[in-house]
Amino acid sequence: MPVQNKLRRRLNINFMAMAVVMLFACGLLYYSLRLQSSYTSKISLTSRQKAIAIEITRDFYFLLEKSKSGKDIAAELREMNVLIEQWTNAQKALLNGSEYYGTSVENTVLVQSMLQDASPSFVQCSDLLKEFFQSPQTFDDAKYTSFTTGIETYVGKINNITGKYLIESEETAGTIKYIFWALVSTALLLLFLATWRVLNPLKKYIEQAYEEVGELEAKLLKADGAKTEFLSNMSHEIRTPLNGVIGMTELLAATSLDEEQRGYVRNVHSSAQNLLDVVNDVLDYSKLDSGKLELHKERFNLSDCVDQVIDLMKPVSSAKKLELMSDLDATLPMEFLMDERRLRQVLLNLVNNAIKFTENGEVLVKAELINRESDFVQIKFSVRDTGIGIDPAEAGNLFQSFYQVDSSISKKYGGSGLGLAICKNLVQEMGGRIWMESKPGQGSTFSFTVVAETAGIVQEEKIDALNGMRALIVDDNKTNLKILVKQLSAWGIQATPFNSPELVTEILSNLHKFDFIIMDMQMPEMDGKSLAQKIRAQYTDKQLPLIVLSSVGEHLMLDKENFYNAYLNKPVKQSRLLDTIVEVMNLSTVNKAKEKISSGNKEVMNQKSTLKILVAHDNDLSRAVTAKTLQLLGHRYDSVNNGKELLEKSRRDDYDLIIMDVKMNDMDGIETTKQLKKIVGKNSMPVIIGITENESRDKQECIQAGMDDMIEKPMKPEILQQKIHYWLETEE
Ligand code: ADP
């Protein structure tokens, strides 16, 4: 029987029993009340009988005296007769019971016999009174004495009856009280029983239900974990070779290729990048879906962030001959604490869609200040296009996962249908909301808000740091020179312009007066590289940092000889230039660290790191890409295919740095690190950098196992360089 029915039946039975007990208690209460009121009536009646008897005796005496003196007593006799009648009726009511007098409840046997015992004196007195009524003149004193004796006896007996009534009344009240409380207790007991009989199984039932829910939850979590793990494994499996493809194509692009080959490489690169985007979408979505996505607040510049989005999308918009513009509210603060990567992801998604669905016209990215309260601001971003637009009826569906508007254009472009769903979730995580307005055929505007914490005036700090520096600027283009000088001067830098590289070579020995050099790469008389070579023959990169401006993509500017400290794409944005100078001036410290670890080779140009680095990766391509990156950064390395080989190698050699994939098949990075700790000891551990596809997920476990840092895939050379520098500098 289902538990609910069983419980209901038990409850019903108990409530019925309780109802019977209560009914019985009510009957008893009614009977007791009647009995009590009957006793009250009887007690008052017996007291009244006594009073009437005394009154009759007194009146009788006066009448007797009056009649003796020959006076007329007819009127008094009538009055007395009424009294006698009442007395007689009451006596009957006591003996036989009467509704009228409230004595209908039967007397006890004892009281009944006491009443009968009082009857002869009552009858005797009544008879004497009758006799007096018939002939008052013949009634003598002896008869009167006999009357008073009778009355005395009667009153005495009636007194006893009153006392008995009182005792009986008290006894009954006590008994009834006792029975009543017994019944109440029984009812309470039944109630308790009912509760216990119901609550106990109910408790068990609830416990069982909790257990079942717990088991289900565990199963669900396991399934959810399995799903996330599956997705993350899948994405790892896909990302790892993809990482290899992207890395290798970047390396390939840097080799000498003809135009046709370069075109193919570009296509491979962009397809791999697209595929990586889809994989990232799916992983992001699964993370958001399972609530595992964490935002990482970092200090960042909003204008830079928007610039980066524009920079990234510019080639795509230019290819479609679309204007891509940004418009930032002048009142908006620019430095924030936010997860810049995620904000950029949302903007990129919207701008990408806007370009995708626009054939003519423009795409405008806007940021406005909506609200400001203490250190927090609410910013509204909008991406407006002049594209195909969207039917407003679709507005509700657009932000759902896997939703794509059913149109031939949407189908043409493919996509995961997850982009906007991810945007919605990310925006919500950032404390905002996202919406869309559109006129079909005229364009759409996607807007979203975020709440961000302002992070002070970093820009000014940077400018302060540069104040008073001296810079040499070399560019054959005079306008460019002018702009650069103006800009640097505004930051307090003394900028000396040179419009010919030849002139610079003439003052080579005096270049130490400058803190850094900014030079154009493509100059007609002497290209940047030749000039750099000449400079580097006399000055190390820490002595005289070189910032190169170029119109060739950064990734094509391979600097095998390590001549340059930084590259900038033309046209140079102010904020980027400022950051680069700051970075480069810091980089001279990096180089100091590099020099420290170099094997006493004073020629920084040919400096090769003596760091002993071990690369562990079970994927050949990834291993090759990491290794090549290390090579380009000037490091030597050993490589192994898995965790076991890593342990083997570590037994034989001491390494300064180990770069290993966190997810290796045989023995993963975490286990390998733990084992390594046992082999070499906690204090002799090399610096370990883990390569992961999900830093926030793995970081805690990796660091706990003994790793020092993480790099997220796809691994960027500059990040690796930064990390190596950071850890080695700290080590020294
Ligand atoms: P996908 O990754 O497939 O593009 P999204 O979630 O980013 O998925 O977009 C869902 C759908 O919304 C797209 O397939 C497209 O039909 C529509 N859409 C998004 N942005 C625009 C836009 N700017 N103009 C017209 N349609 C758009």
Side-chain angles (χ1 to χ4, degrees), residues 295-302 305 334-344 346 376-377 379 381 426-427 429-432 448-455:
L295 295 183
H296 299 282
K297 277 191 182 178
E298 282 166 345
R299 203 169 179 143
F300 87 104
N301 183 284
L302 180 65
C305 175
M334 285 299 155
E335 300 289 334
F336 290 106
L337 285 177
M338 253 186 104
D339 192 328
E340 180 188 11
R341 195 164 80 88
R342 295 300 179 184
L343 175 68
R344 198 169 46 225
V346 177
F376 290 90
V377 289
I379 312 168
F381 293 91
L426 286 175
V427 166
E429 292 284 323
M430 292 188 277
F448 66 94
T449 56
V450 294
V451 173
E453 192 180 343
T454 52

Side-chain angles (χ1 to χ4, degrees), residues 388-398 403 405-407 436-444 446:
I388 57 168
I390 305 164
D391 182 349
E394 302 275 5
N397 301 325
L398 275 185
Y403 188 83
V405 177
D406 191 18
S407 73
M436 182 277 303
E437 291 146 304
S438 175
K439 282 198 181 125
Q442 292 184 30
S444 329
F446 281 81

Side-chain angles (χ1 to χ4, degrees), residues 380-641:
K380 178 185 163 192
F381 293 91
S382 52
V383 178
R384 196 189 71 198
D385 65 54
T386 52
I388 57 168
I390 305 164
D391 182 349
E394 302 275 5
N397 301 325
L398 275 185
F399 299 97
Q400 287 172 14
S401 6
F402 305 108
Y403 188 83
Q404 286 178 310
V405 177
D406 191 18
S407 73
S408 52
I409 302 175
S410 292
K411 280 177 189 149
K412 181 177 123 192
Y413 288 110
S416 63
L418 283 174
L420 289 176
I422 292 172
C423 287
K424 183 181 167 195
N425 278 313
L426 286 175
V427 166
Q428 279 171 352
E429 292 284 323
M430 292 188 277
R433 63 185 192 94
I434 186 164
W435 68 98
M436 182 277 303
E437 291 146 304
S438 175
K439 282 198 181 125
Q442 292 184 30
S444 329
T445 305
F446 281 81
S447 311
F448 66 94
T449 56
V450 294
V451 173
E453 192 180 343
T454 52
I457 325 148
V458 169
Q459 192 89 346
E460 282 174 12
E461 285 169 14
K462 288 180 189 166
I463 294 170
D464 271 359
L466 296 181
N467 195 22
M469 284 196 170
R470 288 151 305 168
L472 179 69
I473 310 167
V474 196
D475 197 329
D476 60 310
N477 183 309
K478 286 190 180 140
T479 320
N480 236 356
L481 266 185
K482 245 192 220 166
I483 297 173
L484 280 168
V485 170
K486 202 174 144 210
Q487 188 54 64
L488 295 185
S489 310
W491 295 332
I493 300 172
Q494 293 172 28
T496 311
F498 270 70
N499 64 359
S500 147
E502 295 283 3
L503 291 176
V504 181
T505 55
E506 283 169 23
I507 56 151
L508 268 182
S509 51
N510 283 324
L511 288 184
H512 60 270
K513 289 178 183 159
F514 296 99
D515 293 302
F516 62 94
I517 296 179
I518 299 179
M519 63 182 209
D520 188 21
M521 191 64 183
Q522 289 84 26
M523 292 178 287
E525 303 157 28
M526 178 190 286
D527 69 6
K529 194 170 177 183
S530 315
L531 178 59
Q533 195 167 11
K534 288 201 162 66
I535 296 172
R536 283 286 172 258
Q538 290 196 24
Y539 303 93
T540 65
D541 56 355
K542 69 141 193 165
Q543 289 166 333
L544 193 53
L546 278 178
I547 299 171
V548 184
L549 309 182
S550 160
S551 13
V552 190
E554 268 177 41
H555 63 285
L556 297 177
M557 289 270 311
L558 271 186
D559 173 28
K560 286 183 191 145
E561 295 89 353
N562 260 337
F563 284 165
Y564 320 118
N565 297 64
Y567 320 99
L568 282 176
N569 260 337
K570 287 209 277 190
V572 186
K573 279 185 202 67
Q574 291 183 12
S575 58
R576 184 84 201 273
L577 180 61
L578 180 67
D579 283 348
T580 309
I581 298 173
V582 170
E583 214 173 279
V584 159
M585 296 323 286
N586 284 342
L587 262 182
S588 53
T589 349
V590 176
N591 293 334
K592 220 185 283 163
K594 264 191 191 171
E595 224 171 35
K596 270 193 211 162
I597 56 163
S598 86
S599 57
N601 185 351
K602 296 282 175 273
E603 279 299 305
V604 179
M605 209 174 89
N606 299 318
Q607 177 187 322
K608 286 278 174 263
S609 151
T610 52
L611 270 183
K612 287 201 78 178
I613 302 177
L614 181 61
V615 177
H617 214 308
D618 61 355
N619 181 285
D620 293 344
L621 262 182
S622 303
R623 199 170 51 248
V625 172
T626 310
K628 185 76 187 172
T629 311
L630 280 171
Q631 203 181 358
L632 285 175
L633 294 175
H635 299 287
R636 287 181 304 170
Y637 59 88
D638 287 334
S639 64
V640 286
N641 296 317

